[in-house]
Amino acid sequence: MTEPDARVIQLVMSLRGQGVTDKHVLAAIERTPRGLFVPERFSEHAYDDRALPIDCGQTISQPLVVGLMTQALKLDDRHKVLEIGTGSGYQAAVLARLARRVYTIERYRTLAKEAEARFTQLRLTNITQRIGDGTKGWPEQAPFDRIIVTAGAPVRPETLLDQLKPGGIAVVPVNNASGTQTLIRYLRDAEGELAEEALMDVRFVPLVEGEAKAL
Ligand code: SAH
């Protein structure tokens, strides 16, 4: 896919109007053809600002949420980033345009393989993938400058936060007792102390512990 799509320009303008103001983030979204990441049958909705179903009963996130989460990470091109929940690969592709290297973990083999083909097609060579349980993080590659979780964690994900560098930022949807989900930003200061702030309400598919049994 090399054809620029006029619909992506429209989408970027809409995201800007809704608070995605970082021009690097907007440029990364503009350069990432979401049409390549959604199932064929939804291609006419690829540039709508909504989440869409993907294989294995999962979803590709809403572009606004991708924009706001990416912006909340305050990325630069020296950063080593960990993503939990590769899914379609769309969020990873956006991150890859802003960071030095992206490590992404998915529990479904089918999704990981489909995402891999997209990364190859887009020549995104700075993404490293693994199939497995992302709740354990990626100890061999830790610590990370930035961590993003794109599935709803039942509780504060301590194992992942332990893999965050001093000065690091993590963005994680965490379930509330009431059944809603809040996007939390964790900031680890230079002394290693962790602070957290609630950013907004979100709705992600659940972060599921353990290996996927099938697919
Ligand atoms: N970032 C994705 C959104 C995917 S939805 C995108 O841009 O398309 C969340 C994904 O998290 C799903 O694919 C789901 O299978 C995956 N997931 C859930 N629990 C997981 C776990 N413990 N380890 C790794 N991936 C997980």
Side-chain angles (χ1 to χ4, degrees):
M1 172 114 184
T2 49
E3 284 292 297
D5 197 314
R7 294 175 301 170
V8 84
I9 311 285
Q10 198 73 35
L11 174 62
V12 162
M13 279 167 47
S14 147
L15 299 188
R16 186 162 43 201
Q18 296 176 88
V20 185
T21 50
D22 183 319
K23 63 182 194 302
H24 299 292
V25 173
L26 291 169
I29 290 173
E30 188 172 323
R31 292 174 60 208
T32 307
R34 194 166 182 258
L36 194 65
F37 293 84
V38 307
E40 190 81 53
R41 67 187 188 284
F42 293 117
S43 45
E44 68 173 297
H45 295 297
Y47 298 92
D48 293 356
D49 189 17
R50 56 183 259 205
L52 291 168
I54 57 174
D55 284 345
C56 307
Q58 305 303 312
T59 53
I60 175 172
S61 309
Q62 182 189 351
L64 177 62
V65 174
V66 171
L68 291 172
M69 286 177 84
T70 306
Q71 179 166 279
L73 284 174
K74 301 184 177 165
L75 289 164
D76 78 41
D77 58 11
R78 290 162 304 181
H79 287 154
K80 179 175 174 180
V81 183
L82 174 66
E83 181 197 27
I84 308 305
T86 315
S88 68
Y90 179 69
Q91 172 75 73
V94 171
L95 295 170
R97 300 197 187 278
L98 297 163
R100 177 168 58 84
R101 182 154 285 278
V102 177
Y103 293 86
T104 182
I105 309 180
E106 170 57 53
R107 60 194 290 279
Y108 285 109
R109 175 172 300 274
T110 303
L111 293 176
K113 289 292 163 199
E114 289 169 353
E116 182 179 30
R118 294 173 181 130
F119 301 150
T120 304
Q121 192 175 343
L122 294 174
R123 298 194 182 82
L124 294 170
T125 54
N126 61 336
I127 302 176
T128 306
Q129 293 180 263
R130 165 185 275 190
I131 298 161
D133 180 6
T135 64
K136 299 188 174 67
W138 197 318
E140 301 82 355
Q141 289 297 339
F144 296 92
D145 299 290
R146 300 290 186 261
I147 298 177
I148 177 171
V149 180
T150 64
V155 293
R156 175 169 147 141
E158 301 295 349
T159 309
L160 293 175
L161 295 173
D162 286 346
Q163 296 181 18
L164 187 63
K165 275 187 201 175
I169 300 176
V171 175
V172 187
V174 181
N175 296 348
N176 301 306
S178 58
T180 59
Q181 246 174 37
T182 306
L183 187 66
I184 309 286
R185 174 158 63 180
Y186 299 94
L187 305 143
R188 190 180 290 291
D189 68 19
E191 284 72 49
E193 291 300 313
L194 207 56
E196 66 173 78
E197 59 181 313
L199 296 184
M200 60 178 168
D201 288 340
V202 285
R203 236 167 67 193
F204 278 87
V205 296
L207 182 70
V208 181
E209 230 177 287
E211 305 272 327
K213 286 206 178 59
L215 300 168

